[in-house]
Amino acid sequence: MKNKLIGAVAALAIAVGGSLAAATPAQAATPAIMITKAYYNSPGSDTGSNTSLNGEYIRLTNKRTTAINLKYWTLRDKSSHVYKFASDFKLGAGASVYIHTGKGTNTSTHRYWGSGAYIWNNTGDAAYLRNSANTAIDSCSWGSTGSYTNC
């Protein structure tokens, strides 16, 4: 009788423990590429100069231990302004790239939208990152205070 009771208690403990484990929500996986900073209100007056436009940027960071090709990935705002990585662009493991609003020469750490107007709204906006299959990868939003947000 004592062994049956111990066996029943052990079975009950396993069943309850298993059901508790199954009921716990899974942790969301960290995206491979994350939006880690949005500098939406460039320093100084918004003069519309290329220097002022390039003061706006979104920083993307590779959170993996291998390089990721961002070819055909897109970055967009709420108004559907779209930046597209139109060709091979490999972001190294742990590396970041800054997507500036204005014009400039693309490098491995700085890319340029080529816009003659501001993209990111100082009064609140959001940045959305999608991969080449148009799957949402990450997003970052902000309100009307401050100049930047760490995402």
Side-chain angles (χ1 to χ4, degrees):
M1 178 72 166
K2 184 177 175 184
N3 286 342
K4 284 185 180 182
L5 183 57
I6 291 171
V9 169
L12 180 60
I14 290 169
V16 170
S19 67
L20 289 176
T24 304
Q27 292 289 327
T30 300
I33 304 292
M34 291 181 66
I35 300 169
T36 53
K37 186 172 191 173
Y39 208 118
Y40 52 87
N41 187 2
S42 59
S45 299
D46 288 345
T47 62
S49 70
N50 195 54
T51 300
S52 182
L53 289 169
N54 282 334
E56 279 192 345
Y57 63 81
I58 301 293
R59 181 178 65 201
L60 305 178
T61 303
N62 181 350
K63 295 296 188 174
R64 296 295 184 257
T65 57
T66 58
I68 296 175
N69 192 347
L70 301 183
K71 183 177 184 179
Y72 302 135
W73 286 46
T74 59
L75 177 66
R76 66 186 67 223
D77 70 343
K78 283 185 176 180
S79 299
S80 295
H81 296 101
V82 179
Y83 174 85
K84 185 175 190 175
F85 289 90
S87 59
D88 283 337
F89 179 80
K90 293 185 180 163
L91 186 57
S96 293
V97 62
Y98 296 81
I99 314 301
H100 298 274
T101 297
K103 297 174 178 71
T105 302
N106 290 333
T107 69
S108 62
T109 55
H110 295 271
R111 307 298 282 184
Y112 295 87
W113 204 298
S115 177
Y118 295 99
I119 300 292
W120 309 106
N121 295 327
N122 299 352
T123 56
D125 207 341
Y128 305 98
L129 181 65
R130 294 183 169 271
N131 68 13
S132 59
N134 204 32
T135 303
I137 300 299
D138 198 19
S139 65
C140 177
S141 59
W142 54 90
S144 60
T145 59
S147 295
Y148 67 89
T149 188
N150 292 309
C151 309

